[in-house]
Amino acid sequence: MKLKEFARQLGLSPTTVSRALSGYPEVSEKTRKRVAEEAVRLGYRPNINAVRLVTGRAGAIGVVMGRTGEFHFAEYMSGMAERLDGEDIDILVSPTADRDLTDEVALYSRLATSGRVDAVIVHSPKPNDERIALLHELGFPFLVHGRSETDVPHAWLDIDNEGAIRRATSHLIDLGHRRIAMINGRAGRTFSLHRDKGYRDALQERGIPFDPRLVAHDHFTDELGFRYARSFLEQSPRPTAFVAGSMMTALGIYRAVRSRGLVVGRDVSVIAHDDVFPYLTADNMVPSLSATRSSMRAAGGRSADLVLQLLGGRAAEEIHELWPVELILRESTGPAPTDAQP
Amino acid sequence: MKLKEFARQLGLSPTTVSRALSGYPEVSEKTRKRVAEEAVRLGYRPNINAVRLVTGRAGAIGVVMGRTGEFHFAEYMSGMAERLDGEDIDILVSPTADRDLTDEVALYSRLATSGRVDAVIVHSPKPNDERIALLHELGFPFLVHGRSETDVPHAWLDIDNEGAIRRATSHLIDLGHRRIAMINGRAGRTFSLHRDKGYRDALQERGIPFDPRLVAHDHFTDELGFRYARSFLEQSPRPTAFVAGSMMTALGIYRAVRSRGLVVGRDVSVIAHDDVFPYLTADNMVPSLSATRSSMRAAGGRSADLVLQLLGGRAAEEIHELWPVELILRESTGPAPTDAQP
DNA sequence: CAAAAAATTTAAAACGATTTGGTTGATGCA
DNA sequence: TGCATCAACCAAATCGTTTTAAATTTTTTG
C-alpha cells in the first residue's frame, strides 16, 4: 500500500498523513491518532527507500569487519544490535581487505560516501589513524571504539586499558613477581600501546627494569599465546607471571605452562583481559583465571547509543567516554615462587 | 555530483550515461569507455538510495543475530563479507529477541517486508520452522543455513552433521568404547537432531543400547560442557568417550576430565565438532583434539554465493548443498581403557 | 461581529536515479 | 533513389516519499 492510496482511504492528503506518522506538531491530535490506528489496521508502512532518498538518511550504521574474524566482534555487534532494537536503524557490515592500511582507508572512504550508512565505527585505532583523519575531512559522523591521538575532534568510547594493566602488573609485583611477561595485542594499535604503558609504568614505579624479551605483540589466538608463553618460559630465569591480552591468549598460556610441568597459580601467575563472553568464562577455567574485565557487549550497546546521539546533533568533541576496568582476582594469581630458578 | 550534471559535462543525456554505467548494450563501446573513465575522474557515483527507490532493490542481505552471541557467527559473517566484497551488496544485521519463536517470526516478517534487504538467511532451523513457512508465504527470497523438513521448497546449505557424528561415534566404538556420552546443541534444532540420529544409528549398528542419561542438549559454552561432562563422569560405570558439539564444549569436557584426575585420550576419549576458528584450533589443544571439521567461514562465503544466485533468478528448489565433514583423528581419541570402572 | 491570528490541511515541487517509448542518422538492399 | 533496418542516443515519465509554500478552516480578540 502506498502513501497516496492510504491517504485517499483516510480522506486526507498525503502531506497530512506523512506528518501525522512522523509526529510533526501541525497535525491535530485526533487526526494523528486516527492515522496511526489505520496505518496499523491497513498495514501501511512508508517505503524505506523513498524515505531514504528524500531525507538523505540511510538509517544504518556501518561497521567494518576484519578478515581475521576477531571473536570479540560478535559480542560487540550483538550489543549494538540489542540497543538498536526498536530504533529504525540497521547495522551494516563491510568486509575489510585487512592487508595494508591504504586499502582500509579506501574502504572507509567508499563507505562514507556511498550513502549506505549515516555513521561508521572505527575499531582498533592507531595513535595516528588515517581513517580518523579521512572521516573528519569528509565531515562524516563516526565513533571511535578505542582511542587515538589523531588531532582532530572525534567521538570515542574506550576502556581504561592503561589503568587496568597497571593495576594487574602492580598486583603481580605486590605478590613478589619480578619477571613478568606480557603478551599484548597487535603492535601499533592504541590499546596495545596503552597496555604497554600501564605495564611499563607499573614496573618502573617499583624499580623493576623493563626487559623487551618478555614482551610480545600479536593477534589474540590461543596458538600465539602458547607459542610466546613457551618461548618465554624457556628463558632463564624464566618469568613467574604473565599478563595477557585476551582469554584465548590465556588458554594458550595455560597450555604452555602445563606443558612445562608447571602449575598455573603456583609456579606461574596469569592475569588476562576478559571481554566477557557467554561461551568462555574466566571463572570456569582451571585454575580460575584472574582477569581485568570489561564487557564487550556493553561497549557495543553504548556505542550504538553514542552514535545515535552523534546523529542527533551532539558535538563529537563532547562524546568521550572512558570506562573503568575491573580487576578480578582468582586462583591463577599467587605469590611468586621462591624457587623460581629451575 | 549528480547524474544530470555529470551527463551535461559529458555532453550526453542522463539516459545514455546511466546505461553506459550499467552496461546496457545500446551504448557504443567508445561512449561507454569514455563515460566510465570520466566517472572515475570526476568522481561520479549514482546515489544509492535513488537507485534503490527506482529499481526496488535494496542491495543487501539480511542476517538475524541471536542475542546469545554465538561465537561461530562472526566467522560465518566474515566469510559472507569476504565473498560479497566487490559485489554491490551489503550485509545487514538485525538483532533478535531470542525469547519465544513468535517474536522471531515477527522479526523476519518485518525484515522481509521492510524493503531493507533483498533476501535473508535463516540460521539454526527447526524441522518444522515457522520462519521458513512465513518467508515462503511472503514469496521472499531466503537461504536456510542448515536444514528443515518444512514442506515448502527452499534453498539450503548444510553440512552432513548426521554422517559426521555417525562416523565419529563408530570410530569410538571401533576403539572399544561402549559408554559414549554426547553433548549436543540446543534441543529442537535440526542440526542437533541430525547429530542425535548419527549418534544413535552408530550405536544401534553395533548393538549398543542407547542410554538417555548420557546425552545432553544445550548451548555451546565451555561452562555447560564442563557441567554435563562432570555429571556424566559421576555415573558408574562412567562414560569412556565424549562426542561434543563444539570447541567450547570440548574445552569444558577437557577440564571436567582433568578435574576428575583422568587423562583425555587415555582414560576418556573426546571428539568434538570444529567450525575452524583462527583463534582456537583443535590441533593446538593438549592433547590435540580429534574433530569433525567443517569451515564456518567457507559456509558463509558459499551462502553469499547461493543467495546471489537466488537473486539472479535460480530456483530455490535447485539450491541444495550438503557438505561432507572431515573426521580428523588426533590425540584425544584412543582405545577404551580396560579398567573403566574406578 | 469583523478582523487578525492560530491551527489545520493541502497542492505541488523536490529527492536522483532508471526505464519506457521515441527520435535521429547511418547503413543495407532492391 | 527510396525504403526498411539498425545502432546510438535522448525527453519525459516514474519510483514513493518529504517538505515548502500556500490555502483553508477555526479560534481569538478588540
Side-chain angles (χ1 to χ4, degrees):
Chain A
M1 162 122 28
K2 302 166 191 177
L3 173 59
K4 218 165 135 186
E5 162 70 7
F6 177 55
R8 185 145 37 85
Q9 294 208 18
L10 285 175
L12 287 170
S13 73
T15 310
T16 304
V17 171
S18 169
R19 290 192 154 142
L21 291 175
S22 313
Y24 278 65
E26 54 270 80
V27 164
S28 75
E29 202 45 57
K30 202 177 68 187
T31 310
R32 179 196 320 293
K33 203 170 155 230
R34 186 162 72 97
V35 171
E37 280 166 3
E38 290 294 285
V40 171
R41 197 172 68 80
L42 298 175
Y44 168 73
R45 272 166 45 199
N47 178 305
I48 184 86
N49 291 323
V51 174
R52 284 170 167 167
L53 172 57
V54 72
T55 61
R57 271 177 260 122
I61 299 172
V63 176
V64 173
M65 177 172 224
R67 187 152 297 184
T68 41
E70 295 101 5
F71 49 91
H72 40 71
F73 197 81
E75 276 298 294
Y76 182 85
M77 280 226 328
S78 184
M80 277 187 75
E82 204 170 338
R83 170 64 186 80
L84 254 22
D85 200 6
E87 311 283 339
D88 216 34
I89 305 263
D90 306 314
I91 300 171
L92 202 135
V93 177
S94 291
T96 176
D98 225 21
R99 279 156 288 184
D100 50 36
L101 206 78
T102 323
D103 280 5
E104 204 173 338
V105 169
L107 174 66
Y108 274 85
S109 168
R110 274 213 310 279
L111 196 56
T113 56
S114 71
R116 290 176 217 274
V117 295
D118 297 316
V120 297
I121 291 188
V122 173
H123 281 279
S124 302
K126 304 187 169 187
N128 185 346
D129 201 290
E130 290 183 54
R131 297 169 298 176
I132 294 174
L134 170 86
L135 290 167
H136 175 76
E137 197 176 333
L138 291 172
F140 195 80
F142 65 99
L143 172 78
V144 177
H145 180 216
R147 251 176 303 170
S148 168
E149 287 152 21
T150 312
D151 60 353
V152 299
H154 58 274
W156 55 261
L157 165 66
D158 196 9
I159 61 172
D160 183 12
N161 283 297
E162 183 184 327
I165 299 305
R166 189 189 316 109
R167 273 169 51 216
T169 311
S170 280
H171 176 72
L172 291 168
I173 299 172
D174 287 343
L175 286 170
H177 296 276
R178 289 299 173 268
R179 287 193 65 71
I180 302 172
M182 160 105 141
I183 303 181
N184 202 343
R186 276 189 289 171
R189 308 285 158 169
T190 314
F191 78 90
S192 293
L193 293 166
H194 284 169
R195 291 180 182 181
D196 277 341
K197 182 157 194 311
Y199 169 76
R200 296 171 85 138
D201 283 1
L203 293 180
Q204 189 166 27
E205 246 170 43
R206 310 290 280 270
I208 300 174
F210 170 77
D211 182 348
R213 291 180 313 143
L214 287 179
V215 175
H217 291 94
D218 218 317
H219 286 271
F220 291 143
T221 75
D222 85 314
E223 166 150 13
L224 291 167
F226 176 78
R227 290 228 290 250
Y228 287 117
R230 263 313 283 217
S231 88
F232 291 163
L233 288 172
E234 277 163 12
Q235 294 179 20
S236 180
R238 62 169 155 77
T240 61
F242 282 84
V243 177
S246 81
M247 294 285 290
M248 297 302 165
T249 313
L251 285 176
I253 296 174
Y254 270 44
R255 284 199 289 112
V257 171
R258 278 202 206 96
S259 76
R260 298 275 301 186
L262 301 170
V263 174
V264 172
R266 191 192 66 191
D267 305 313
V268 177
S269 287
V270 179
I271 300 183
H273 183 73
D274 178 7
D275 291 306
V276 189
F277 304 108
Y279 47 83
L280 183 62
T281 55
D283 211 14
N284 285 325
M285 290 173 65
V286 177
S288 62
L289 173 69
S290 297
T292 54
R293 182 172 71 176
S294 183
S295 162
M296 237 334 146
R297 171 174 293 265
R302 183 61 180 159
S303 293
D305 239 344
L306 293 176
V307 169
L308 253 29
Q309 293 182 15
L310 202 59
L311 294 176
R314 190 165 168 208
E317 44 269 69
E318 273 182 23
I319 301 182
H320 300 322
E321 229 166 81
L322 184 62
W323 286 12
V325 176
E326 296 174 279
L327 173 61
I328 297 170
L329 299 175
R330 300 196 183 86
E331 302 160 353
S332 69
T333 39
T338 47
D339 58 333
Q341 306 320 326
Chain B
M1 160 117 33
K2 302 165 191 176
L3 172 60
K4 218 166 135 186
E5 162 70 5
F6 177 56
R8 186 145 36 85
Q9 296 208 19
L10 284 175
L12 288 170
S13 74
T15 309
T16 304
V17 172
S18 170
R19 291 198 153 139
L21 291 175
S22 312
Y24 278 66
E26 51 272 82
V27 165
S28 75
E29 202 44 58
K30 201 177 67 186
T31 311
R32 179 194 321 291
K33 202 170 157 230
R34 186 164 71 97
V35 171
E37 280 167 3
E38 289 295 284
V40 171
R41 197 172 68 80
L42 298 175
Y44 168 73
R45 272 165 47 201
N47 178 305
I48 182 85
N49 291 323
V51 174
R52 285 170 166 165
L53 172 57
V54 71
T55 62
R57 271 177 260 122
I61 299 172
V63 175
V64 173
M65 176 173 224
R67 185 152 297 182
T68 40
E70 296 101 3
F71 49 90
H72 42 71
F73 197 81
E75 276 297 294
Y76 182 85
M77 281 225 328
S78 185
M80 277 186 77
E82 204 170 338
R83 171 64 187 81
L84 256 21
D85 201 5
E87 310 282 340
D88 216 35
I89 305 263
D90 306 314
I91 301 171
L92 203 135
V93 177
S94 290
T96 175
D98 226 20
R99 278 157 287 184
D100 51 34
L101 206 78
T102 322
D103 281 5
E104 203 173 336
V105 170
L107 174 67
Y108 274 84
S109 168
R110 275 213 310 281
L111 196 57
T113 57
S114 70
R116 290 177 217 275
V117 296
D118 297 317
V120 298
I121 291 187
V122 173
H123 280 280
S124 300
K126 304 187 170 189
N128 184 346
D129 202 289
E130 289 182 53
R131 297 169 297 176
I132 294 174
L134 170 86
L135 289 167
H136 175 74
E137 197 176 335
L138 291 172
F140 195 80
F142 65 99
L143 172 78
V144 177
H145 180 218
R147 252 176 303 170
S148 168
E149 288 154 20
T150 312
D151 60 353
V152 299
H154 58 273
W156 55 260
L157 165 66
D158 195 9
I159 60 172
D160 183 12
N161 283 298
E162 182 184 327
I165 299 304
R166 188 190 318 111
R167 271 168 52 216
T169 310
S170 280
H171 177 72
L172 291 168
I173 298 173
D174 287 342
L175 287 170
H177 296 275
R178 288 299 173 268
R179 289 193 63 72
I180 302 171
M182 160 106 141
I183 303 181
N184 202 343
R186 275 189 290 171
R189 308 284 158 171
T190 314
F191 77 90
S192 293
L193 294 166
H194 284 170
R195 291 181 183 180
D196 276 340
K197 181 155 195 313
Y199 169 76
R200 295 171 87 140
D201 282 0
L203 292 181
Q204 190 167 25
E205 248 170 40
R206 308 291 279 271
I208 301 175
F210 170 77
D211 181 349
R213 291 180 314 141
L214 287 179
V215 174
H217 291 92
D218 217 316
H219 286 272
F220 291 143
T221 75
D222 84 315
E223 166 150 14
L224 291 166
F226 177 77
R227 290 228 291 250
Y228 288 117
R230 265 309 288 214
S231 87
F232 291 162
L233 288 173
E234 277 163 13
Q235 293 179 21
S236 180
R238 61 169 156 76
T240 61
F242 282 84
V243 176
S246 82
M247 294 286 289
M248 298 301 165
T249 312
L251 285 176
I253 296 174
Y254 270 43
R255 286 200 287 111
V257 171
R258 279 204 205 95
S259 76
R260 299 274 301 185
L262 301 170
V263 173
V264 172
R266 191 193 63 192
D267 305 313
V268 177
S269 287
V270 179
I271 300 183
H273 184 73
D274 178 8
D275 291 306
V276 188
F277 305 108
Y279 46 83
L280 183 64
T281 55
D283 211 14
N284 284 325
M285 290 174 64
V286 176
S288 62
L289 173 69
S290 296
T292 53
R293 181 172 72 177
S294 183
S295 161
M296 251 307 156
R297 168 174 296 264
R302 183 60 181 159
S303 293
D305 240 343
L306 293 176
V307 169
L308 253 30
Q309 293 183 14
L310 202 57
L311 293 176
R314 189 164 169 210
E317 43 270 70
E318 273 182 22
I319 302 181
H320 300 321
E321 230 167 78
L322 184 63
W323 286 12
V325 176
E326 295 174 279
L327 173 61
I328 297 170
L329 299 175
R330 301 196 183 86
E331 302 161 353
S332 69
T333 39
T338 46
D339 58 334
Q341 307 319 324

